[in-house]
Amino acid sequence: MTHLEKIRYKPISVKKILREMKDISEVMIDLAYSAALFNNADLAREVMELEERVDTLSYLLNMNAMIAARDAGDAEALISILTVAAATNEISDAAADIAKLVLLEIGIHPIVREAFRRIEEQLIRVVVKPGSKLVNKKIGDLDLAAQIGVDIIAIRRVKKWIIDPKDDEVIRENDVLIARGAPMGIEKLRAMAEGKEVVIEE
Amino acid sequence: MRGEGSASKKRVFEKITEELIELKNTSELMIDLAYSALLLNSVELAEEVEMLEEKMDKLHTDFELRILSSNFKPEEAKEFLGLMRIGSVTERIADAAEKISSLVLRGLKSHPVMNLVIEEAEETVVRAKVSEESPLVGKTIKEARINERTGMWILAIRRNNRWIRPKSTTRIKAGDVLIASGYTEGEEDFLHLVSGA
């Protein structure tokens, strides 16, 4: 029996909720495909958590939008927001279905998986270990995109998700980083997060 | 005989992979285009999304038929089921994108809040064909530095009726149709760059 979170109305701006829904749904797609390609249950579980978050946000957004509509003009203006929110919710459900393939051990055919993996950019999930050089560094200062060709697309800090982190975001111990890049860069980031010495060539 | 069989099996797998990647990329491209269509209130972009949705339907059917006719062994059934499920997911993502872009075709405007949500909300969208003389020919998206030079972002590339979602490593070819969005001020520079004039 799954435990469903109780929903209560909270006054939150529609803008804030919608941005979070959109950002999360996009990261979920990437995470879900990677979970399937690498047959990685950890990534799949991250996707399932995000899916729950999107469900909660969807209720909150609908309630706040209902309160915001005073007349027919408002209703017409708000329908685009509700439609986009519903679309991000569907995208997140779709991503969750990919993740479930991993959790239910259905998987995808290994030959296709291998081929897919060679062609597509890779995604990893790494935990920042104490002692890693990444700890207490700003994302902007690390400039990983230029240094090793890797982009950090999300950070999970205990239960909180930071999607598409800004340059001034500081990485902390035990952060879970989700990053995308070419296989070599990905391996370098993994080593950095684990506190190993990494040589960066020009 | 055995070698022949495994070679043809390899081709089937190559084809399945190719189609799956195309389904995935098309569905993701549709989301990008759909958001842009809504923001820019662009009927043109919304119609592109509709066209891609039709293409997705066909691709998805081909993909499913290829899997069903691939003579997989009973013990492989589960892994092929996984492939089919992923195919359906791409289709659902495409449907979600179409739902967004159809707002534009129904004459419903984007709410001002939406433009704040989608940060890359720019002012205009242009489409231009890369000429033989353009300095962009043969360069990757990263090398071309289009954004630095013109302030425009490449949303999508159309090459011989195929849509490509640009990555930093995608190489631009003569004859490519680039769809870009950005501020109106950059439009002229962009068109110069693409035409090579």
Side-chain angles (χ1 to χ4, degrees), chain B residues 123-143:
Chain B
E123 287 179 345
T124 185
V125 61
V126 283
R127 170 206 294 258
K129 196 170 191 170
V130 180
S131 82
E132 301 273 357
E133 291 79 40
S134 167
L136 301 177
V137 174
K139 297 230 170 75
T140 63
I141 294 283
K142 194 176 171 190
E143 292 161 356

Side-chain angles (χ1 to χ4, degrees), chain B residues 43-54:
Chain B
V43 171
E44 198 188 28
L45 280 184
E47 281 171 353
E48 290 291 358
V49 176
E50 299 274 307
M51 267 158 51
L52 285 171
E53 167 59 17
E54 275 169 39

Side-chain angles (χ1 to χ4, degrees), chain A residues 19 22 26 29 33 77 80-81 84 88 90 94 97-98 101 105-107 109-111 115-116 119-120, chain B residues 13 17 20-21 24 28 35 38 76 78-80 82 85-86 89-90 92 99-100 111 114 116-117:
Chain A
R19 172 171 292 164
K22 176 177 179 285
E26 284 166 11
I29 299 180
Y33 282 121
S80 67
I81 289 184
V84 169
T88 61
E90 276 157 35
D97 280 358
I98 299 182
L101 292 178
E105 292 176 6
I106 294 175
H109 202 284
I111 296 182
F116 216 96
I119 299 163
E120 293 291 287
Chain B
F13 277 120
T17 309
L20 186 59
I21 288 172
K24 172 179 180 282
E28 288 170 12
Y35 281 128
L38 181 60
E76 290 175 315
K78 207 159 89 168
E79 290 154 345
F80 277 86
R85 293 253 174 108
I86 292 202
V89 163
T90 64
R92 276 163 61 199
K99 203 174 260 182
I100 294 172
H111 191 280
M114 197 79 68
L116 299 170
V117 167

Side-chain angles (χ1 to χ4, degrees), chain A residues 72-88:
Chain A
D74 281 352
E76 246 178 48
L78 281 164
I79 200 75
S80 67
I81 289 184
L82 294 182
T83 305
V84 169
T88 61

Side-chain angles (χ1 to χ4, degrees), chain A residues 119-137:
Chain A
I119 299 163
E120 293 291 287
E121 279 189 319
Q122 298 192 8
L123 208 86
I124 48 159
R125 171 191 180 279
V126 286
V127 182
V128 180
K129 299 256 167 73
S132 160
K133 280 192 175 154
L134 299 173
V135 175
N136 293 329
K137 292 266 170 45

Side-chain angles (χ1 to χ4, degrees), chain B residues 124-165:
Chain B
T124 185
V125 61
V126 283
R127 170 206 294 258
K129 196 170 191 170
V130 180
S131 82
E132 301 273 357
E133 291 79 40
S134 167
L136 301 177
V137 174
K139 297 230 170 75
T140 63
I141 294 283
K142 194 176 171 190
E143 292 161 356
R145 296 173 52 244
I146 295 169
N147 183 252
E148 287 95 320
R149 287 155 88 170
T150 68
M152 306 287 286
W153 289 101
I154 307 292
L155 293 175
I157 302 172
R158 182 178 216 159
R159 181 175 297 162
N160 308 325
N161 284 323
R162 281 194 58 214
W163 282 94
I164 301 168
R165 198 177 191 218

